[in-house]
Amino acid sequence: SVMPEDALVGAWRKSAHKLWVMRLRRTSTLVELLQVLADFVGAINEDWLFQCKFPDGVVEEIIASFASMPHTSSALALWLVKLDVIISPYLDRVHPQKKQGIGMS
């Protein structure tokens, strides 16, 4: 029997997510945190972001603004807020149940 492609993709996503979580948990300095986030930003799948139908230039702005920001905790905090403002409307459209408080078990 052949494993369904969705099962393999789902397992890969969980594994990749766990890897990022482990790397973030191991950081103890701002420099280490910035390196993990730089790796994450570098790994962003731009094709996927474009499929999310963000306004023109938003994807490039996310990536470019991270690369050019000062390496300070306040700059990182502002970048994360900016990222959240950009991505949260998309997530609200994709997962409306979570916004309404209906959890998925």
Side-chain angles (χ1 to χ4, degrees):
S1 112
V2 176
M3 179 186 293
E5 183 178 336
D6 289 343
L8 182 60
V9 170
W12 180 85
R13 284 183 181 149
K14 284 183 182 178
S15 175
H17 178 262
K18 287 179 183 178
L19 174 66
W20 287 113
V21 169
M22 285 183 353
R23 286 192 64 198
L24 284 170
R25 286 184 177 161
R26 285 192 305 232
T27 62
S28 59
T29 66
L30 179 60
V31 171
E32 291 172 348
L33 177 60
L34 287 169
Q35 182 58 56
V36 171
L37 289 175
D39 293 346
F40 177 75
V41 170
I44 289 176
N45 183 335
E46 290 184 40
D47 292 334
W48 176 82
L49 286 174
F50 284 118
Q51 291 173 9
C52 294
K53 299 189 180 5
F54 292 119
D56 288 342
V58 169
V59 174
E60 295 85 358
E61 175 64 20
I62 291 170
I63 295 168
S65 65
F66 182 82
S68 64
M69 76 175 192
H71 290 183
T72 64
S73 57
S74 58
L76 174 60
L78 289 172
W79 182 82
L80 289 171
V81 168
K82 184 177 185 177
L83 181 66
D84 182 60
V85 166
I86 292 169
I87 292 178
S88 63
Y90 169 77
L91 294 176
D92 289 344
R93 286 193 314 266
V94 174
H95 301 291
Q97 300 90 358
K98 288 185 181 182
K99 186 175 182 182
Q100 297 169 357
I102 302 170
M104 300 175 95
S105 308

